[in-house]
Amino acid sequence: MKLVTIAGTRPQLVKVAAVSRELRKTFNEILVNTGQHYDYNMAGIFFEQLDIPKPDYDLGVGSMSHGKQTGNMLIKIEEAIEKEIPDGVIVYGDTNSTIAGALVASKLHIPVFHIEAGLRSYNKKMPEEINRIMTDHISNLLFAPTSSAVENLEKENILRHVHQVGDVMYDAVLYNMEIAEQHHSIEQYDLKPNHFILGTIHRAENTDDRERMRGIIKGLINLNDKVFLPLHPRTRKKLEEYELMTELVSAENVILSEPVSYLEMLLLEKHAKAIVTDSGGVQKEAYFAKVPCYTVRDETEWVETVEAGWNQLVNPSQQDLSHLINNFNSVNYRGDLYGDGNASKKITKEIQNYLREML
């Protein structure tokens, strides 16, 4: 049996690697990389180090407006799927690659299998939220990472073929942390374990808001600890536009860096004292690493981390970020929120069972 997997961003390809290791024991998998994101960390060494299968199709769509990007993907994905004629199409998460792959497969009457189904932020201003909802409603198999994701689907009357399998990102982190420790060290950044705060900011809800960015930078500068801050090019540009870069550069406790690789990021997360982020993936990786996380957003799709007390939502224009971090109180850690690290095996089994019933 043949499956086509659609991915296009670095986080998606990391998850693909975890699932493909199991999937390819049973299926002929064709990997389509839309090229939604491209940077130096997506080059050959990224695929080699993480044991990611070489894409069978590189669509090279690249960054552009949502409409143009999704439209180009629809055309190119359709060409690939019509050529391959698979028994099913796998999509991940909530990107434009996700909804484009799901729409093409659905219109060609090919089963859609959605990994990371049921996540909701309940903020429809986020493009990702629209992508999640639409993909879930046209999917034939839905793989939910958590019980709250299953409950979200139930609220929308999606009841059939829903499977709580755990989080494939947990599978990936367990596998890749060993690789990270073999290839990298935080000493290269003059950092010591548990003696620095890691920051990563890139979402438009922060970068496009001067007051939120001012609050984030003020909070980082006022921390008692050293801060390591890899800057996304767009974030750097906005900081310069808001005239905040000079203040950041002159701060004695802040180390600025170019974007780091996925493996380096894993290692930095593991050894950080705390993490400040607006990334969905980093929130979970912080939890896996048992490191407190401060999410500078008004809501999160990973509500379990907040309920467990290891993630705190922060409005940086209204709350004192440095005070919250400097006065963190430890809570008991629950290690079972995202499964047992075997989500990939469970997904493979359920796809196999579904296709056997259908054929």
Side-chain angles (χ1 to χ4, degrees):
M1 289 183 284
K2 182 191 290 187
L3 299 175
V4 164
T5 292
I6 310 290
T9 66
R10 185 171 79 167
Q12 286 179 327
L13 287 165
V14 170
K15 296 164 195 169
V16 165
V19 177
S20 290
R21 275 190 289 274
E22 290 300 323
L23 208 61
R24 295 188 177 207
K25 295 175 183 178
T26 305
F27 296 97
N28 173 19
E29 183 192 29
I30 304 298
L31 177 57
V32 176
N33 176 20
T34 65
Q36 179 173 337
H37 288 172
Y38 186 85
D39 60 34
Y40 71 96
N41 286 320
M42 291 282 281
I45 192 169
F46 172 73
F47 287 84
E48 293 165 14
Q49 283 188 343
L50 273 62
D51 196 23
I52 299 172
K54 182 180 178 182
D56 299 278
Y57 293 84
D58 268 310
L59 304 186
V61 172
S63 297
M64 56 187 74
S65 69
H66 285 286
K68 289 180 180 178
Q69 187 181 68
T70 307
N72 282 342
M73 287 179 186
L74 288 169
I75 295 168
K76 294 185 176 185
I77 290 172
E78 184 177 63
E79 291 172 355
I81 289 179
E82 286 186 325
K83 182 177 179 180
E84 295 295 337
I85 317 177
D87 298 294
V89 170
I90 298 175
V91 294
Y92 288 77
D94 55 19
T95 69
N96 289 340
S97 299
T98 310
I99 186 60
L103 280 170
V104 169
S106 178
K107 289 179 180 292
L108 294 175
H109 307 294
I110 296 170
V112 179
F113 308 143
H114 187 199
I115 295 174
E116 293 184 312
L119 302 181
R120 297 291 184 271
S121 67
Y122 294 101
N123 177 4
K124 289 189 177 180
K125 291 182 179 179
M126 294 175 62
E128 295 89 348
E129 183 76 353
I130 303 302
N131 291 342
R132 292 177 198 129
I133 294 169
M134 292 178 66
T135 301
D136 282 339
H137 280 269
I138 57 178
S139 291
N140 301 84
L141 270 180
L142 299 101
F143 296 111
T146 63
S147 57
S148 61
V150 174
E151 291 168 6
N152 290 337
L153 293 170
E154 289 174 351
K155 291 175 186 175
E156 296 172 21
N157 202 34
I158 301 175
L159 306 173
R160 298 184 68 241
H161 300 301
V162 174
H163 302 277
Q164 184 180 338
V165 295
D167 197 323
V168 295
M169 186 181 281
Y170 187 35
D171 296 22
V173 168
L174 291 175
Y175 184 86
N176 291 319
M177 186 60 77
E178 292 184 19
I179 302 175
E181 289 175 328
Q182 292 171 10
H183 288 86
H184 301 285
S185 168
I186 64 168
E187 279 74 19
Q188 71 188 84
Y189 299 112
D190 194 28
L191 299 172
K192 295 180 181 179
N194 203 39
H195 281 76
F196 68 96
I197 309 299
L198 174 64
T200 168
I201 308 296
H202 73 279
R203 284 186 181 270
E205 64 191 273
N206 286 314
T207 60
D208 290 354
D209 188 316
R210 184 189 298 268
E211 292 309 308
R212 288 181 74 93
M213 288 303 293
R214 190 187 304 277
I216 292 168
I217 299 309
K218 180 182 176 182
L220 295 176
I221 290 173
N222 289 336
L223 284 169
N224 296 333
D225 298 280
K226 186 178 289 188
V227 175
F228 185 76
L229 185 63
L231 280 183
H232 189 282
R234 188 173 183 277
T235 307
R236 184 183 290 272
K237 181 180 178 181
K238 286 292 185 177
L239 287 170
E240 291 170 349
E241 179 183 322
Y242 300 150
E243 299 181 347
L244 294 171
M245 272 302 291
T246 302
E247 189 176 357
L248 195 57
V249 170
S250 61
E252 293 183 0
N253 70 320
V254 177
I255 300 173
L256 296 178
S257 164
E258 295 298 315
V260 299
S261 71
Y262 167 72
L263 291 177
E264 289 172 295
M265 192 65 178
L266 277 186
L267 207 59
L268 288 162
E269 290 165 355
K270 178 180 179 179
H271 293 296
K273 182 178 180 180
I275 296 172
V276 177
T277 190
D278 56 13
S279 162
V282 172
Q283 291 174 57
K284 279 193 299 177
E285 289 165 355
Y287 182 79
F288 299 152
K290 302 181 183 178
V291 173
C293 184
Y294 297 84
T295 299
V296 282
R297 284 169 54 185
D298 296 329
E299 69 284 308
T300 178
E301 55 273 36
W302 302 110
V303 293
E304 301 85 6
T305 60
V306 177
E307 292 168 354
W310 282 83
N311 188 7
Q312 185 168 344
L313 295 175
V314 181
N315 183 327
S317 60
Q318 298 178 8
Q319 295 171 277
D320 187 340
L321 182 61
S322 60
H323 177 78
L324 294 172
I325 297 175
N326 289 334
N327 293 279
F328 172 74
N329 292 316
S330 181
V331 295
N332 291 330
Y333 182 79
R334 277 190 59 192
D336 61 347
L337 291 181
Y338 294 103
D340 56 7
N342 290 303
S344 302
K345 291 181 180 179
K346 295 172 185 176
I347 287 168
T348 300
K349 181 180 178 182
E350 293 300 340
I351 292 176
Q352 192 172 17
N353 291 340
Y354 178 86
L355 290 178
R356 280 175 177 170
E357 291 176 6
M358 297 298 293
L359 296 176

